[in-house]
Structure formats: C-alpha cells, structure tokens
Amino acid sequence: MTATAPGAADGGTGDPMHGLDAAALRELAVLAVDWVWEQDADLRFVAITPSYHGRPADPTYDVVGRTRWELPLVGVSDAQWRDHRGALARREPFRDFEFGRHDADGTLRWFTVSGHPLFGPDGAFTGYRGIGREITARRNAERALAEREAQLFLVTENVPAAIGYIDRDWVLRFANRGFRELFGHFAGARVGLHLRTGMGEAVFARVRPHFERVFAGQPVAYQRPDTDAGGLPRTLAVRLVPHRDERGAVRGCYSLTVDITAQQEAETKIRELERLFASALENTTDLMAVYRVEGDDLLIGEFNRAMRVFYEERFAGVRVEAWIGRSIDVFLREVGGLDAAARERRLAPFRRAAATAQPQRYRSAIESPTGLQHRDALLVPITGADGRTTHLFYRGADITSLVQKEAELGRLNSDLERMVAERTAGMAAAMQELESFAYAVSHDLRAPLRGIDGFATLLAEAHGHTLGIEGMEHLERIRTSIGRMAALIDALLRLSRVTRSPLLREAVDASAMAAGLLTELQRQEAGRGVEWRVQPGVRCVADPGLLRAVLENLLGNAWKYTRKAARPVVEFGAVRDAHGTEIFVRDNGAGFEMAYVDKLFEPFQRLHTLAEFEGTGIGLATVARIALRHGGRVRAVGAPGQGATFFVYFPD
C-alpha cells in the first residue's frame, strides 16, 4: 500500500529505517519475533507477516479479508470490544489490545496488538498498520504468579500468627488476619498508620531499638509484655526480618508475632509437674528407676533414693551413681554376682516390655540385708514417635508382709476348709437325726394319740350314760388335748421341713398369692366383716412354697388377732430397696408389748393364752426360719390393742 502515517509521508530523516528498500523491510518483518499487519479503510486485514501464523498451513490463521471482531477470538469482554472499536472509529492509535485464539489442536494462545491509523496525501483515512506479538508465555507466567500470590495470601491469612510489613518510615503497610485479631484493639492495627500512633509512645519507645536493628539489616527476635483487649496481661514473641530490594538496600521489615502466654503457662505447669514428679520419685519408699533401651541392651538411666539405698546397703561399697549410663546386665553380673541364666530370668520381663511396648507386671523375690524381699514389680514402656520403646520405667513395691499374710491366709483357709468339712459332716449327721425324729414324730407319736382318741370316742359312745356330765366333760378335755397335741406335731413337722427342703429361688407374684389366701380366709369365715387390702405388683425372689408358708402364717395370725376388733383391717404390702424386697402384714387387732418382741419368733413362745386365741406357738418361728434360709430377716412392731405389723425381708 502507498498510504503512510502522518508525519512520515515525506520520508524525513527522523525515520531510523530510512534508506532501506521494500525488499529489505519485508525480509526484516519476516525475521522479526513481532509481526506486522495492515488493514484497509473498512478495517479488514489486507496483509500480515508470516510470523503471526506460526504454522502457515493452519487454516484458523487465515485473517486476510476479515475484521478483527470477525475472527474467533476469546478473552475479550463486550466492554473491551466497545472501547476498541470506539478508538478505531475515532481513528485513534491504540496499544496492547490483548486477545486469545485456539489452535486447531485446541491449544489457547494469547496475543497483543498495537496500531496507528493511516492517511493518504489528501488526508483521507486509508486504514491501520501495526505490530503484534504472542504473549502466551507471559500470560501463563502472570497466571502462575497470580496463583502463587493467591496461595501465599491464603497461607498468610490463615497462619496462626500475626504477620505485618513495616516500611522504613515506620508505617504499617500490610497486616494479615492474625495481626488484625491480635492487635485489633489498637489503632495501629490499621494499615497506613505510624507505629507510634497505634502502639502509644511508651510501647513504641520500648520496641524502637529492635526496629532500628532490623532496619540496619539484622534479623531480630525478642519478647515483650502486652495486654489484650480485655486488659489482661500477655507475653508476645516477636521476630523481625529485613526486606531488601534488588540492590540489597533495606526497604522495610516483616514482623511475625505470636502470643506465647498459654505456652509460657503450660511450660510453667510442666516444670512444676516435673518438679513434683521428681520429688515424688525421689522420696517414695517404692524402688523406682528409669532404663534407656539401646538395641538389645538396657542402660541404667536413673535410680531414686530408695533404689540407691537398697543396692548400696545390700552391696557395701557400691556407688550407684557410678553405674548411670552403663548396662544393667553388666551391673547384675559384676555387682549382683548373677550368672548368665539368673540374669536372663531377671531381665526377661524387661525384654518383653521393650519388645512389645506393653506394660509388664510380675512378682519377684530378691535377697536383701534384712532377708528375702518380695516385690510387686511394674514395668511401663515409654515409646518414641515411631512407636518403638526408648525407655522403661520400673516400680518395685515391697510386698514381703503381704506375701507373709497371704501365706498365713492360705493356712487359715486350709484350716477353715477342714472345719467346714467337719461341720458339714456334723450337719449331715444332725439332719439324719432330724429325719429320724420326724419319722418318729409322724409314726411313733401319732399312733398312740390315735389310739387314745379312738378309745376315748368308744368310751363316750358306749358308757357315756354311766359317766355322767362331769365324766363326759373330762373325757372331752382329753380329746381336745389330743387334738392340740396332733396340731403341735403337725406344726413341728412343718418346721423341720422348712430346714430340710431344697430352696428353689424365683421371682414370685406375692400380691396375687396374698390376695388368694385372704379370699380363702374370708370364704371360711364369711360372717366376719374383715376389710383387707393388698398392694398390687409386689414381687420378690423366694421359694414359692416357703413364701406361701410365710404368708399363710402372717395373714392367718392377722385374721385371728383382729377377731375382737370393732372394724377389723388386714393389709399386705412391701417396700423395695437396692438389694431386695421387704414384705409386711399389718392389722389393727390385739397387738403386743414391744418388751416381748424378741420372744415372738421363738418356738412355743405365746403372748396370749389359748382361751384368748388358739395356736401352737410355732408359726412365727417357722416364718423366722424361712427368712433365715433366704438370707433375710424378720422384725415386728406393735402395741396392745392397737395392732401389729410383721416384716420379712427377701434379698434378690
């Protein structure tokens, strides 16, 4: 094209390319990294140097005859297109218009172009001419840099420390989130303020020497006291690092600040715990030591006072301190005088603890100046970060007296077992005798009674008319006494069966059992208006047959002894505790004197005459025996004329 840029049409001497012919210019354009492009008055490309193509055969680089916005460009916003086309419409030069294009294989490449408008001799606009350059490498580098900056910002914002940047004018230029959180209550936490303004004159005066040193090029680390937002004291650890420019001049510094108050408090507590532990370790009467594990060997690390005294008393002239850091195997050989087998037995628990990293507890017996000493030994492995045992903590407690007591207890247990066996044999003999007695009562005593009763009946039937009234009364007294004797024999037999029968424990519905017995008593004496109450849901663990015998005796007594009450009341209930159930039967009948309460549960002990209330005196004794067989107890409370309450406890 013949058109030229304004000011260059005359080929003036200001053009550094003056004197080069067109062929030379084209050759230079082909060889250049940048490419040259030209557009006509319609802003369509009319020429472009090959450098733009990269791969000339690629059809996607065919741009001649098309405007820039007709090309498949990417990365240009609508606003950028408007600004660019507006500059072209105004015939203004433009610089660094950036866009992207995809190669045929999908690779995204980035370019930048700059151009100047062209005018003919008559001043008419003829198009644009300019240069272009591929900036893919630069864009990729900028993107990578932006990503690194974003990552650095993310790390800096979230690091658990206060990071700031202070320039040579003592002005805070950057503060991360940790800085803002740590110093947010100071005005100095706001970027752009002088440190003196934020810290105050007193604090600034204290920290100024540190900043002067870092501005002189020296890294600085120091601690200073401070107060938090609530006015509480705290300690800050500060590290200052100089920031240098490319010439090595200090332009400012980075500050890293951490609140170490909690750390200092924890260190103080740890030191105190270490002191207490060392004091306890040193002053305890137990033997304690720490051994260091070195491969297959164990080195003596530390002995407490009790351990030192033990060995120094046992082996005269031995100084335990001289053995610190030396092998325990060598110590047992040279000081203890143990052979290889004895040393292996002694060290076997140590080797197991070191190999398995599991505590070992065992008993050992060692000769001491006072005789054989028995120890309860505990080995606790201490492991490193890799889980391997690095040390063993040993504790040996003197249990000689315990071992002696255990031996004595063993002898006592043997004696007790022998005594139990003798008592068991005696009880078996007594039970056999009781069986014989029960048989005798049931057969040998009943037969004469039946005979007496039979002859008395025949005498009354055959000779009643000759005996007279007084004789018949004596005869009736004989028969009544025989009936009482038979009832007494039956009661004694029941009492013996309570002791002899096997005990079968199970959960029993005592409420249902009591209600059934009271219903039967009411049926037998339908004319009596007895009010009876049964607490629902009472259950206890007992032998069902024996529990029934308890309720028959207690409810029967309550029914009997309320016979003279104006409005008789009989009540059954229970109270539970954590270990069992205590049932009770309460009535408002005759009652009794508490002074005689201990006699109630003894056989044949009666507090009322037969003329007042019938009975054998065996019922409550039977209740007491049943409670005893269950491992329970009985008790009673009452008052004359005010009734009585009987309690029976059944453990679960």
Side-chain angles (χ1 to χ4, degrees), residues 411-446:
R411 289 192 294 271
L412 292 175
N413 284 336
S414 297
D415 293 343
L416 181 60
E417 290 175 358
R418 177 180 52 78
M419 293 173 62
V420 168
E422 293 174 354
R423 290 288 181 88
T424 302
M427 288 182 63
M431 290 293 292
Q432 185 61 42
E433 292 177 0
L434 187 59
E435 290 280 354
S436 300
F437 171 74
Y439 181 84
V441 167
S442 113
H443 294 83
D444 298 346
L445 292 183
R446 284 182 182 277

Side-chain angles (χ1 to χ4, degrees), residues 623-643:
V623 170
R625 293 283 182 86
I626 292 174
L628 186 62
R629 284 208 66 190
H630 285 81
R633 59 183 180 271
V634 294
R635 63 188 180 95
V637 294
Q642 298 181 28

